[in-house]
């Protein structure tokens, strides 16, 4: 049956992510609120397989503001362990999410297990012109991000490699 099958990847409507004047204005306001440093953005439900704890470890010593969009059962613990350069937005509207993408310099999906099957957020980030830092998972994540082309890929759970990749793209 393998010869009869084809993979049809997920897609998005990039028009909803357009940099309208209102989005550009809101993105500038967010950057100002976040302190003016380069911005690393991540979006997702705050659960273990997303690897946000690894990103928070990588954020220590990173000359950037790391913005986490979303909520979930691990949120309180993540907030408690976050460095001063980390911001949490909680649940936000679709319009605010687009402004967050447009305010960022790099997008990071630090997932640590194959429970991360694809990552639609990667397509959204790319539609906004952001380079990606993802982890080497044998899932759809690897089908989206091409190491050295659309971003960088690091081993899962390696905070040092994640920090280095983020710093490289931010430089």
């Amino acid at each position: 049956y393998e010869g009869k099958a084809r993979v049809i990847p997920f897609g998005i409507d990039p028009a909803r992510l357009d940099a309208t004047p209102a989005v550009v204005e809101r993105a500038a306001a967010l950057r100002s609120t976040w302190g003016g440093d380069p911005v690393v953005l991540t979006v997702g439900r705050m659960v273990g397989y997303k690897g946000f704890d690894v990103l928070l470890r990588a954020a220590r010593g990173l000359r950037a503001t790391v913005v986490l969009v979303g909520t979930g059962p691990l949120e309180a613990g993540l907030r408690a362990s976050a460095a001063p350069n980390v911001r949490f937005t909680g649940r936000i509207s679709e319009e605010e999410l687009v402004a967050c993408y447009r305010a960022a310099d790099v997008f990071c999906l630090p997932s640590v297990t194959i429970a991360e099957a694809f990552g639609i957020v990667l397509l959204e980030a790319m539609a906004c012109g952001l380079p990606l830092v993802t982890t080497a998972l044998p899932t759809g994540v690897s089908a989206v991000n091409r190491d050295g082309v659309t971003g960088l890929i690091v081993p899962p759970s390696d905070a040092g490699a994640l920090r280095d990749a983020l710093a490289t793209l931010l430089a």
Side-chain angles (χ1 to χ4, degrees):
Y1 297 102
E2 189 173 317
K4 296 179 181 180
R6 288 196 347 226
V7 173
I8 301 173
F10 292 108
I12 61 165
D13 177 7
R16 71 178 181 78
L17 300 161
D18 284 347
T20 65
V23 166
V24 170
E25 182 179 335
R26 181 63 185 142
L30 287 170
R31 282 189 74 93
S32 177
T33 300
W34 294 334
D37 283 335
V39 175
V40 174
L41 179 69
T42 193
V43 177
R45 189 164 174 260
M46 294 186 188
V47 293
Y49 75 86
K50 290 291 188 179
F52 293 141
D53 59 324
V54 179
L55 178 57
L56 292 186
R57 288 196 307 276
R60 296 189 183 283
L62 187 64
R63 194 160 177 239
T65 299
V66 176
V67 177
L68 282 81
V69 174
T71 63
L74 300 182
E75 183 176 358
L78 292 170
R79 284 180 181 267
S81 67
N85 62 327
V86 176
R87 307 286 182 271
F88 291 83
T89 68
R91 185 178 306 269
I92 60 175
S93 68
E94 181 71 19
E95 295 79 19
E96 187 77 351
L97 177 60
V98 174
C100 286
Y101 280 123
R102 294 294 178 173
D105 297 294
V106 174
F107 187 85
C108 182
L109 187 66
S111 303
V112 294
T113 76
I114 60 170
E116 186 69 74
F118 186 79
I120 293 286
V121 293
L122 296 174
L123 300 179
E124 293 174 344
M126 291 172 73
C128 294
L130 296 176
L132 309 173
V133 175
T134 60
T135 52
L137 296 173
T139 65
V141 171
S142 296
V144 177
N145 190 16
R146 303 291 181 184
D147 194 42
V149 179
T150 56
L152 299 174
I153 300 173
V154 301
S157 300
D158 188 336
L162 187 62
R163 181 184 309 109
D164 291 347
L166 291 168
T168 296
L169 290 180
L170 290 170

